[in-house]
Amino acid sequence: MFRPISSEVLSDNWGILTKYEFELRRRNGEWQRQTRETYDRGNGATCLLFNPETICVLLTRQFRLPVFLNGGIEALIEAPAGLLEGSDADGRMRAELLEETGFQTSTLTHLFDVYMSPGSVTEYLSFFKGVYSASDKVANGGGKSDEGEDIEVLEVPLSEAMKMIESGDIRDAKTIILLQHLMIEILQKKS
Ligand SMILES: Nc1nc2c(ncn2[C@@H]2O[C@H](COP(=O)(O)OP(=O)(O)O[C@H]3O[C@H](CO)[C@@H](O)[C@H](O)[C@@H]3O)[C@@H](O)[C@H]2O)c(=O)[nH]1
Ligand SMILES: [Mg+2]
């Protein structure tokens, strides 16, 4: 189905941008030569923390250069997330929650692994959900300032967050998937 021909690393800096030549067997049996570029910066993890007593979720807001360049948005609202950098997703996610939000969770549940941009980015994101309460705040959060992170933490009622998807105030795919997953779970419990 796939016959590699050659590969050329175009950039090996933060991530690795590689140009591949290969042949692909089409469904009619013919082999077709193709060129594709892939961007590899490893895999990542993301988590939505939910407070079942207040029906609030924890979100972050930070500057994202690609989003600013392609939309002028100065601060993107997102679920906490981080790159794995070789670590396991569960452990990395717990550390990332602490770094970005200052909250810990005793209930971190893996949901699914999702390719977020499969035409060009190799990464998949491991999705998690977790429960928190006010007493789970054990650090300041905000991210690593020495790495350029300046992350605002937002505690938002779930109903408000759902409206923010409709209004366009939340425009990040992982965040929308997690919020909708939580809503479906709550609705299924009620019915
Ligand atoms: N020097 C340098 N540093 C970078 C670069 N890109 C990111 N960084 C730094 O690397 C760190 C990455 O922070 P994480 O919290 O681990 O990752 P993230 O940027 O939040 O990425 C997460 O969200 C992305 C967007 O949704 C996801 O794509 C990714 O998988 C991950 O889950 C930050 O300190 C950031 O400043 C770069 O091109 N150059
Ligand atoms: Mg992050």
Side-chain angles (χ1 to χ4, degrees), residues 4 9 19 24 30 49-50 56 62 65 74 83 98 108 123 128 141 147:
V9 174
K19 182 177 166 183
L24 199 66
E30 285 171 19
L49 284 186
F50 171 59
C56 282
Q62 64 183 306
L65 178 64
E74 286 180 10
L83 297 166
L98 265 182
L108 191 67
E123 171 189 48
F128 292 89
E147 289 185 14

Side-chain angles (χ1 to χ4, degrees), residues 3-183:
R3 277 203 304 234
I5 296 172
S6 65
S7 67
E8 180 190 355
V9 174
L10 302 178
S11 171
D12 183 355
N13 193 35
W14 176 258
I16 305 170
L17 180 66
T18 310
K19 182 177 166 183
Y20 289 90
E21 300 277 346
F22 57 95
E23 283 183 318
L24 199 66
R25 196 173 64 221
R26 299 180 64 83
R27 284 172 300 153
N28 66 8
E30 285 171 19
W31 286 91
Q32 184 179 43
R33 194 174 172 120
Q34 295 191 9
T35 303
R36 290 289 181 275
E37 292 174 17
T38 63
Y39 187 59
D40 182 357
R41 44 145 197 230
N43 296 320
T46 185
C47 177
L48 188 64
L49 284 186
F50 171 59
N51 185 330
E53 281 162 29
T54 60
I55 324 287
C56 282
V57 293
L58 278 189
L59 299 174
T60 65
R61 185 154 57 188
Q62 64 183 306
F63 178 79
R64 290 291 196 181
L65 178 64
V67 173
F68 179 70
L69 295 175
N70 187 24
I73 296 168
E74 286 180 10
L76 190 72
I77 297 173
E78 294 173 73
L83 297 166
L84 299 188
E85 294 167 55
S87 304
D88 70 293
D90 186 284
R92 189 62 228 145
M93 194 64 246
R94 286 176 192 277
E96 204 66 37
L97 284 170
L98 265 182
E99 275 172 32
E100 296 192 351
T101 70
F103 279 79
Q104 61 181 9
T105 180
S106 50
T107 59
L108 191 67
T109 307
H110 178 255
L111 298 172
F112 31 70
D113 296 335
V114 177
Y115 291 95
M116 302 301 287
S117 195
S120 51
V121 180
T122 60
E123 171 189 48
Y124 66 77
L125 269 188
S126 295
F127 281 65
F128 292 89
K129 65 173 183 175
V131 166
Y132 77 98
S133 65
S135 61
D136 288 319
K137 183 156 170 53
V138 292
N140 284 331
K144 290 183 173 166
S145 57
D146 55 342
E147 289 185 14
E149 291 185 324
D150 183 12
I151 299 174
E152 187 186 348
V153 182
L154 309 175
E155 191 166 20
V156 185
L158 177 59
S159 57
E160 187 62 30
M162 294 308 293
K163 284 186 200 149
M164 290 163 79
I165 298 174
E166 299 303 323
S167 66
D169 290 314
I170 292 179
R171 297 185 61 182
D172 173 60
K174 63 181 177 298
T175 311
I176 295 173
I177 293 169
L178 282 166
L179 286 168
Q180 292 183 341
H181 182 274
L182 176 60
M183 269 311 287

